[in-house]
Amino acid sequence: MVRLPGPWKSYGAAPFTTKQVLPKQRGTSLRGMFVTCPLPIMEQDSPRDTALLAARWTLNHHPKGSRITWLASQPVGRGWMLVYRVTYGKRTSRAAVVVVDGGMSKPGLAFVTVPDSQRKQWRDIGRVASGVRVLG
């Protein structure tokens, strides 16, 4: 698992396998989140299609009515990575999903999102995307 440096902190993981969050900020309930878990959706025929569906699933963790704009899409090891902007009202978040086949019954998912109110941590999205490895 990718361990992000401070100010990220480990947090109660459920329903995920691991979870790290940025500190809460005054005036907003949104904060950065990095989670890993077995793929929470049906695996598709291609890793890219699986990552696309997983990215759409992550909208469950953004404000209602959020929209995705794709920023990057590329193969990684035995999987696929997507980097995207999520727009909700006048605010945005940057986010990424990495779906990797680790030889288990389901591929693994790493998902990170950081709102524009914490944009100093946007660099950590690249750290997550490049740091995901299959264990074992």
Side-chain angles (χ1 to χ4, degrees):
M1 181 187 86
V2 178
R3 271 255 175 251
L4 294 172
W8 292 91
K9 291 191 178 346
S10 290
Y11 192 78
F16 305 104
T17 306
T18 66
K19 182 176 182 180
Q20 295 174 57
V21 296
L22 287 171
K24 287 184 179 176
Q25 290 194 302
R26 233 190 294 215
T28 179
S29 61
L30 301 173
R31 63 174 164 169
M33 175 175 74
F34 168 47
V35 299
T36 60
C37 61
L39 190 66
I41 55 159
M42 290 293 296
E43 186 174 3
Q44 304 299 297
D45 290 337
S46 76
R48 181 178 176 270
D49 288 346
T50 301
L52 283 167
L53 197 59
R56 293 198 195 302
W57 172 85
T58 68
L59 289 178
N60 295 326
H61 299 281
H62 289 99
K64 209 167 189 52
S66 293
R67 291 185 335 272
I68 289 177
T69 304
W70 305 112
L71 301 174
S73 175
Q74 68 185 50
V76 290
R78 295 185 298 199
W80 203 269
M81 174 194 67
L82 292 170
V83 180
Y84 50 102
R85 180 182 316 112
V86 181
T87 305
Y88 37 91
K90 294 180 178 170
R91 306 307 302 255
T92 64
S93 290
R94 291 247 174 112
V97 293
V98 182
V99 175
V100 179
D101 181 356
M104 307 295 270
S105 60
K106 287 187 130 194
L109 172 73
F111 161 54
V112 61
T113 182
V114 179
D116 56 10
S117 60
Q118 295 178 314
R119 67 172 44 91
K120 284 182 182 164
Q121 304 312 131
W122 279 355
R123 67 181 181 272
D124 294 330
I125 293 168
R127 193 173 279 159
V128 166
S130 64
V132 171
R133 301 277 180 273
V134 176
L135 301 177

